[in-house]
Amino acid sequence: PPDRTPPDRTRRTTERTTRRGEPPAITQLFKKTKVLELERTYPAPIDAVWQAWTDEDQLRQWWGPEKTLVPECKVDPRVGGSIHVVTEAGEGMGKYQGTRWPMSGTFTIVEPPRRLVWEARSWTEGQEDTSTIEHVNDLTLTESGGTTTVKLHITINRIGSKAKMAAFGMKMGYKAQLDKLGDLLAGS
């Protein structure tokens, strides 16, 4: 049968679809993407800040918010290399004590000492199916006048059904660990 849709209605539908340049399903996917932007400037040379991000012993000292520890830490800072950090709730976290939050990923861009990008997933141990958060982390370091500025751009692409509060709290967690990074760099 011939198409009996009024021409003006067809145009509106076509305009709505092509104005964004993508089908509605893709538009919905992007609505679920969350972006975190963090920036800090430290009174430290760029090489010291780079080492704090790429050296396992140093990363272990500042990764994670207060009252947590890092019992496992592996960093292979090369394209295709892996990062695996397990943050564990310490005694000061009350009922959460002993809870472990692994993060595993792969480095996709490594440009020492200026840029580090890794695709990762984080989850609550024992609840991986529902608590996984998939994210891309883009770290940029710039040096000026004896200080180094850290810019961290995190794109959260997928949030497990029971990970919404964890994803919401990621920015606060990253802020806390960047404070700890400042303390480490102040001692160097």
Side-chain angles (χ1 to χ4, degrees):
D3 183 6
R4 296 177 197 258
T5 307
D8 61 326
R9 187 172 192 182
T10 303
R11 275 195 302 275
R12 277 196 304 261
T13 304
T14 303
E15 287 171 4
R16 185 175 63 235
T17 303
T18 58
R19 184 176 62 220
R20 293 199 171 149
E22 58 207 19
I26 292 176
T27 303
Q28 278 194 344
L29 175 70
F30 285 116
K31 286 180 182 175
K32 293 180 182 178
T33 299
K34 180 176 179 166
V35 174
L36 307 176
E37 300 277 355
L38 298 130
E39 183 174 319
R40 293 287 175 90
T41 299
Y42 301 104
I46 195 169
D47 289 330
V49 179
W50 179 263
Q51 281 299 115
W53 281 90
T54 58
D55 177 80
E56 294 169 1
D57 292 331
Q58 289 187 50
L59 188 67
R60 185 185 300 268
Q61 293 177 53
W62 65 268
W63 191 267
E66 290 296 324
K67 302 177 186 170
T68 63
L69 52 108
V70 178
E72 298 175 36
C73 183
K74 300 283 183 212
V75 182
D76 182 8
R78 61 180 175 81
V79 173
S82 65
I83 180 169
H84 178 76
V85 182
V86 176
T87 306
E88 184 175 312
E91 187 177 324
M93 293 194 77
K95 69 179 184 176
Y96 296 105
Q97 181 180 357
T99 302
R100 294 166 52 102
W101 300 283
M103 181 200 67
S104 288
T106 303
F107 291 106
T108 56
I109 299 173
V110 179
E111 299 171 357
R114 305 214 176 273
R115 189 157 180 232
L116 199 59
V117 178
W118 66 100
E119 296 177 358
R121 57 190 184 85
S122 303
W123 66 95
T124 301
E125 201 168 79
Q127 300 174 24
E128 192 169 352
D129 289 346
T130 58
S131 69
T132 297
I133 300 171
E134 294 177 2
H135 47 102
V136 177
N137 307 271
D138 188 341
L139 172 73
T140 305
L141 308 177
T142 53
E143 187 174 32
S144 177
T147 65
T148 300
T149 299
V150 170
K151 290 184 181 179
L152 184 57
H153 177 94
I154 303 161
T155 304
I156 300 172
N157 298 312
R158 183 180 161 278
I159 301 171
S161 62
K162 293 185 178 179
K164 288 176 178 55
M165 287 303 292
F168 181 77
M170 279 180 79
K171 187 166 191 172
M172 192 169 63
Y174 271 103
K175 284 181 176 183
Q177 74 185 30
L178 290 175
D179 287 345
K180 288 171 61 178
L181 172 59
D183 294 342
L184 175 73
L185 292 168
S188 62

